[in-house]
Amino acid sequence: MKLSKIFRDGIINDNPIFVQLIGMCSTLAVSTNVVNSVAMGAAVIAVLVGSNLVISILRNVIPDKIRIPAFVVVIATFVTIVEMFMKAYAPPIYEALGIFLPLIVVNCIILARAEAFASKNGIVASIVDGIGMGIGYTIALVVLGAIREIFGAGTFLGMQVLPASYQPAGIFIMPPGAFILLGILIGVFNLARRKKSSSKA
Amino acid sequence: MKETVRLGIILMIITVVSAGVLAISNNLTKDRIAELEMAGSLEALRGIFGESANFKPLDEGKLAEIQGTNPAVVEIFEAYDGDSLTGYAIKHTSKGFGGDLVLMTGFNMDGTVAGLDVLEHSETPGLGAKAEEPEFRNRFVGLSTSGEITVEALSGATVTTTGVLAGVNEVREVFNTQLSN
Amino acid sequence: MSIPAILISTIFVNNYVLARFLGICPFLGVSNKMETSAGMGVAVTFVVTLSSIITYFIQKGILDLLGLQYLQTIVFILVIAALVQFVELVLKKISPSLYNALGVYLPLITTNCVVLGVAILNIQEGYDLVRTIFNSLGSSIGFTLALILMAGIREKLEIADIPEVLKGFPIALITAGLMSIAFLGFGGLV
């Protein structure tokens, strides 16, 4: 497989949120604004690349029977490291992400990539897969975060973008807004993919 | 049986290595984290008592005694201007609309409120979350501690306001009965 | 918080699925049928409560004592994974009928973030053992409630006329959003 294809698959064809529909919890919870989305995306990319790398290195050493617990230990280690460094160097973001930072451990994206890709492929391919999937996840998060922030607070990256007379629709920032918006976005993504495949055929 | 032992040992090695890696990164970050936590309180304290004030945590025995009757109290700081004690700041929790509020309320020795800071909250954005803004917090400054403290409620966030007031009045009692004399 | 307040808060006001976004994957994945939803709910309630009690003792008895709090995530997830395996083995031996009913859901529970989420939140909130137990019970009942309500709606959605692109996941998410609005009505109850 070509590296560029692996990379593109992660972002578009196999986008973890819009296509594989995994890793929903953190997506819905932290995408209240763009900054949180980017921070969560960065944390997931770091964990994903790290765990893919280590698991790819160890793929011939870890016996098949205990691979899942072994993967989980590796993933939990990277998550805790990311957590510590965020707490030390970016405390406001650490507070904003809250419980969803340690919960990256059970984010299906990470374990799914370890199981489906890194345990079967070489080091370089695994790193590229980690970056691609991580960016795919981040893009979905940022799109969601941008829409929620603009309509829910009238700001983008904390700067006022809509006129002050705009009464922010708080529902976008609250939980219902997250559910409904993500549902609609997945529908739009489906529509776009379908148009593309029918124009190809 | 032999196979099980072998698998167990491999898994154990992985876990031990992981724990070692974590111990190292914990050592790298823990000082900075502790520093930041102290700095967080300090920033709130300076916001209430001014940049030039000094602070000292209250004697632990006395704090424990106060916490025995007022479990909402988290920490208490003494505020000094030079050598003279000017007031107390109490870090405490109260119930908001979306969860617990963590507040820092400062009292001057002359029996007025020095200031209020909202350290943590999970209130509704745009409504209860406005409790964080100076516009609301400043309503408390200068109020007398001799009677029940009240302020104008935040519009659309009565529960948040009630929660803040209940918390402030509880620690006002603490200040009046156990600290001010 | 008092115990009734904890129960009302976790079941209705701060429902783990609809207000805190924990356990979305099984919520959307297995809420197709009423029967499977109930089964999943029971299995989750059981595992969440048991794992919270065990992690409570591990936190207080080992991690806090030795100053190893930074190993929390890794230890908790291993405990949960081992517990799920153990429950599976025991159920198979003791009650094959219960195993047949719940067995399929058990492996899925390890990666259900409600389990790890509740275990960590219990510690963060500083709950004692009794509050830990009731918080775990309340949150898994809240999860089950959301799951069963969702299944009830989705059984009706099957026969509804929905745009092709919204079928399945998207419409389920939009439905969850509407349910979440309804649950906002419980706000301020405790």
Side-chain angles (χ1 to χ4, degrees), chain C residues 64-82:
Chain C
D64 281 356
L65 275 186
L66 301 177
L68 293 174
Q69 285 91 344
Y70 60 88
L71 291 180
Q72 192 191 51
T73 313
I74 202 167
V75 170
F76 280 19
I77 189 70
L78 281 176
V79 167
I80 291 166

Side-chain angles (χ1 to χ4, degrees), chain A residues 61-63 65-66 69-70 73-74 77 80-81 84-85 87-89 91 173-174, chain B residues 3 6-7 10-11 14-15 18 21-22 25-26 28-29 32-33 36-37 124-125:
Chain A
V61 186
I62 300 175
K65 275 188 185 158
I66 54 163
V73 170
V74 171
T77 309
T80 313
I81 294 174
M84 285 170 178
F85 278 90
K87 195 171 181 183
Y89 295 99
I173 296 199
M174 289 194 277
Chain B
E3 176 68 4
R6 196 177 71 93
L7 293 179
I10 293 178
L11 196 55
I14 295 174
T15 315
S18 296
V21 171
L22 288 181
S25 72
N26 182 52
L28 286 175
T29 53
R32 208 184 140 82
I33 292 172
L36 282 174
E37 267 165 17
T124 320

Side-chain angles (χ1 to χ4, degrees), chain A residues 13-116:
Chain A
N13 300 338
D14 283 329
N15 185 294
I17 305 293
F18 291 140
V19 182
Q20 299 185 54
L21 308 168
I22 52 178
M24 294 283 165
C25 299
S26 54
T27 310
L28 291 163
V30 305
S31 62
T32 48
N33 62 47
V34 179
V35 174
N36 286 357
S37 299
V38 172
M40 188 68 185
V44 167
I45 292 175
V47 174
L48 200 49
V49 171
S51 70
N52 264 9
L53 169 69
V54 170
I55 286 164
S56 171
I57 292 172
L58 296 177
R59 70 183 188 280
N60 297 321
V61 186
I62 300 175
D64 210 36
K65 275 188 185 158
I66 54 163
R67 65 180 197 289
I68 299 293
F71 293 169
V72 170
V73 170
V74 171
I75 294 168
T77 309
F78 278 104
V79 169
T80 313
I81 294 174
V82 168
E83 214 184 326
M84 285 170 178
F85 278 90
M86 264 205 179
K87 195 171 181 183
Y89 295 99
I93 290 174
Y94 172 82
E95 294 288 332
L97 298 183
I99 182 87
F100 289 94
L101 213 41
L103 286 183
I104 295 177
V105 177
V106 283
N107 189 321
C108 325
I109 297 174
I110 321 268
L111 194 60
R113 291 331 285 169
E115 170 81 2

Side-chain angles (χ1 to χ4, degrees), chain B residues 70-147:
Chain B
N70 296 279
V73 173
V74 182
E75 269 179 293
I76 299 180
F77 297 91
E78 293 171 334
Y80 289 92
D81 180 16
D83 285 333
S84 62
L85 182 67
T86 55
Y88 288 93
I90 305 180
K91 183 172 164 186
H92 58 108
T93 60
S94 184
K95 224 164 52 185
F97 184 75
D100 279 353
L101 299 159
V102 180
L103 308 167
M104 176 85 82
T105 309
F107 298 100
N108 291 319
M109 294 312 280
D110 65 9
T112 54
V113 177
L116 171 78
D117 203 341
V118 180
L119 304 178
E120 285 169 36
H121 73 85
S122 38
E123 303 307 288
T124 320
L127 298 172
K130 286 198 173 139
E132 235 181 348
E133 292 171 11
E135 205 275 310
F136 174 75
R137 295 191 279 120
N138 287 342
R139 293 178 196 174
F140 288 85
V141 177
L143 298 178
S144 164
T145 59
S146 55

